[in-house]
Amino acid sequence: MARITAGVASSHIPALGVASDLGKTGEEYWAPAFAGYEWTRQWEAEQKPDVVILVYNDHASAFDMKIIPTFAIGCGESYQPADEGWGRRQVPTVHGHPELAWHIAQSLILDEFDMTIINEMDVDHGLTVPLSMMFGQPAEWPCKVIPLAVNVVTYPPPSGNRCWALGEAIARAVESFPEDLNVQVWGTGGMSHQLQGPRAGLINKAWDNDFLDGLSGDTDRLRHIPHIEYLRETGSEGIEMVMWLVMRGALGKATRQLHRHYHVPASNTAVGHIVLEPVASETVI
């Protein structure tokens, strides 16, 4: 059967994609941010995932005020990089895994999650930047990708608890798929940042690192953080971190941290990144 072997979380800062595309990753400003992903690139090359379920949020590329799905799963064959106002990123086409995606959609809906099913859409930096950070600049992405979009742009976003529970339901869906697949779940977005208003540029290092701490081990305290705490402590865009909780929920009761990276600043926000593996509670280190 298919199995979830790891969880990865990362910021999806658009400026990281620009730095990658323009060959600026070795420059003094950008080098420390990208250095924290070198371990992961080598590790991913060894792990060779068949499928990545990539949890991200759309930035008015596929969805706008006409339609705002709380949770949407891509079941299509492929997805083109979106034109976000300056042309499409020159990165590979994202190829989906329709068989697994449809299986997950059916399982989630029967598990009482009201999913929006998307067969055609372009994917923006929320999805393509994490792929660039983990895989570099290949001619083709080395795995299939199932996009799973979460609304964290327009009020009301889903709660952290609901996102964690969605991850648990995704795990049940994957485990019931009969094909032998190495599946990873990625949560993207964050960390603390605010893009507008008098608190624009807010970064809360202490809160961010406490959140990273809470992803490891057998605690589930992060699922209970209320929306108001994200807003107060991490800025208006910090709510994106609930998408990391989909990843964490999919890994089961306990996890082990394999790699962690935190750097400020990058553009006007914090870069956060962590790699986790699921483990039995009694063997947590």
Side-chain angles (χ1 to χ4, degrees):
M1 64 182 181
R3 63 207 184 279
I4 294 174
T5 59
V8 177
S10 175
S11 302
H12 61 214
I13 304 163
L16 292 174
V18 174
S20 176
D21 297 346
L22 298 181
K24 296 179 178 292
T25 60
E27 293 185 359
E28 181 179 359
Y29 181 83
W30 290 109
F34 281 87
Y37 291 83
E38 291 177 2
W39 182 94
T40 308
R41 290 186 185 185
Q42 295 178 12
W43 177 81
E44 288 286 8
E46 297 168 356
Q47 295 298 307
K48 294 181 173 59
D50 298 304
V51 183
V52 165
I53 300 170
L54 204 157
V55 185
Y56 76 109
N57 67 285
D58 177 76
H59 302 80
S61 297
F63 312 123
D64 56 23
M65 293 304 291
K66 296 177 184 176
I67 180 168
I68 307 169
T70 299
F71 298 122
I73 184 169
C75 294
E77 293 279 355
S78 63
Y79 312 92
Q80 293 297 322
D83 183 348
E84 301 180 62
W86 51 86
R88 298 180 188 270
R89 288 190 68 207
Q90 297 303 301
V91 295
T93 298
V94 176
H95 293 287
H97 195 299
E99 296 83 6
L100 177 58
W102 276 103
H103 173 83
I104 293 172
Q106 172 181 280
S107 181
L108 292 179
I109 291 168
L110 295 179
D111 215 357
E112 301 186 352
F113 284 87
D114 297 323
M115 305 299 296
T116 298
I117 296 171
I118 306 293
N119 291 313
E120 289 186 19
M121 66 175 172
D122 291 347
V123 290
D124 64 19
H125 72 267
L127 185 139
T128 62
V129 166
L131 290 172
S132 295
M133 300 306 290
M134 305 321 157
F135 297 134
Q137 296 178 307
E140 296 287 342
W141 299 123
C143 63
K144 307 288 188 179
V145 177
I146 296 176
L148 199 152
V150 178
N151 170 42
V152 291
V153 174
T154 302
Y155 186 84
S159 68
N161 185 60
R162 188 62 171 165
C163 288
W164 188 296
L166 177 62
E168 293 174 328
I170 289 170
R172 292 191 290 270
V174 170
E175 289 168 2
S176 66
F177 190 68
E179 187 177 345
D180 183 18
L181 293 174
N182 177 358
V183 179
Q184 293 183 3
V185 181
W186 294 8
T188 73
M191 299 194 84
S192 61
H193 63 302
Q194 180 154 326
L195 302 180
Q196 71 289 309
R199 293 205 304 167
L202 180 150
I203 294 174
N204 189 338
K205 295 181 183 179
W207 200 97
D208 286 346
N209 279 285
D210 182 67
F211 187 89
L212 288 167
D213 290 342
L215 293 168
S216 301
D218 59 2
T219 175
D220 69 348
R221 64 182 176 87
L222 298 182
R223 71 188 299 172
H224 304 297
I225 298 171
H227 284 158
I228 191 63
E229 183 173 338
Y230 285 103
L231 180 62
R232 182 182 63 242
E233 300 295 336
T234 73
S236 54
E237 279 70 49
I239 190 64
E240 288 181 348
M241 282 182 277
V242 298
M243 296 187 292
W244 295 34
L245 301 184
V246 179
M247 174 276 294
R248 176 59 189 85
L251 298 185
K253 292 186 177 180
T255 62
R256 179 185 293 110
Q257 177 182 298
L258 300 180
H259 177 66
R260 175 168 165 173
H261 172 53
Y262 184 79
H263 173 75
V264 294
S267 186
N268 61 349
T269 183
V271 177
H273 172 45
I274 197 167
V275 179
L276 304 168
E277 67 177 358
V279 295
S281 298
E282 63 270 14
T283 61
V284 173
I285 296 175

